[in-house]
Amino acid sequence: MDKMEKASEKKRGFVKEFMDFLQTFGVVGLAIGFVIGVASSAVVNSLVKDLINPIVGLVLPTGNLSSLNATITSPVSGKPSVFLYGDFISQIIYFVIIALVVFIMYKQLKRMGLTKI
């Protein structure tokens, strides 16, 4: 066997090993899941910001959930501190919806036998 055949054999061995790695650890599925996650994140963010917050805001005096805040003035410096708890609540809603979507996707993949967990 000459040097070129050995190099070619090593290259094929590396490619096969790399393909086995991709299949074993589901890297392609992970990449697809990441891309879908980013896209669904934008949709859920818009859902919370553009639909849920204004709907909840209908019953709030401020008119928008994310604008709810509390201002406390420091007795030491006299400067106000603003706590944006409405925005925090919006982020919790956002997280719960994303977690629910991931859970539903996981259940569907498990039902089809496509998960290793």
Side-chain angles (χ1 to χ4, degrees):
M1 217 183 251
D2 65 349
K3 285 186 176 184
M4 288 195 56
E5 287 178 356
K6 286 182 181 179
S8 177
E9 198 173 291
K10 281 185 180 180
K11 190 181 237 182
R12 273 182 274 178
F14 177 78
V15 171
K16 181 180 179 340
E17 188 177 354
F18 181 67
M19 295 304 288
D20 289 343
F21 166 77
L22 292 177
Q23 291 173 345
T24 301
F25 293 104
V27 175
V28 174
L30 180 64
I32 291 169
F34 179 76
V35 170
I36 290 172
V38 169
S40 67
S41 174
V43 170
V44 172
N45 189 26
S46 178
L47 171 74
V48 171
K49 188 175 103 186
D50 300 333
L51 295 176
I52 294 177
N53 284 353
I55 290 171
V56 172
L58 291 174
V59 296
L60 298 173
T62 60
N64 193 347
L65 175 62
S66 50
S67 66
L68 290 176
N69 64 62
T71 304
I72 299 174
T73 304
S74 170
V76 177
S77 67
K79 293 183 180 180
S81 292
V82 179
F83 296 92
L84 303 171
Y85 66 89
D87 191 47
F88 180 69
I89 293 170
S90 294
Q91 292 301 316
I92 290 173
I93 293 170
Y94 172 77
F95 172 78
V96 168
I97 292 172
I98 288 286
L100 182 65
V101 167
V102 168
F103 177 70
I104 290 171
M105 288 175 60
Y106 169 75
K107 293 285 283 183
Q108 292 301 316
L109 290 172
K110 188 175 178 183
R111 187 175 59 81
M112 293 186 294
L114 299 175
T115 62
K116 294 180 183 180
I117 299 174

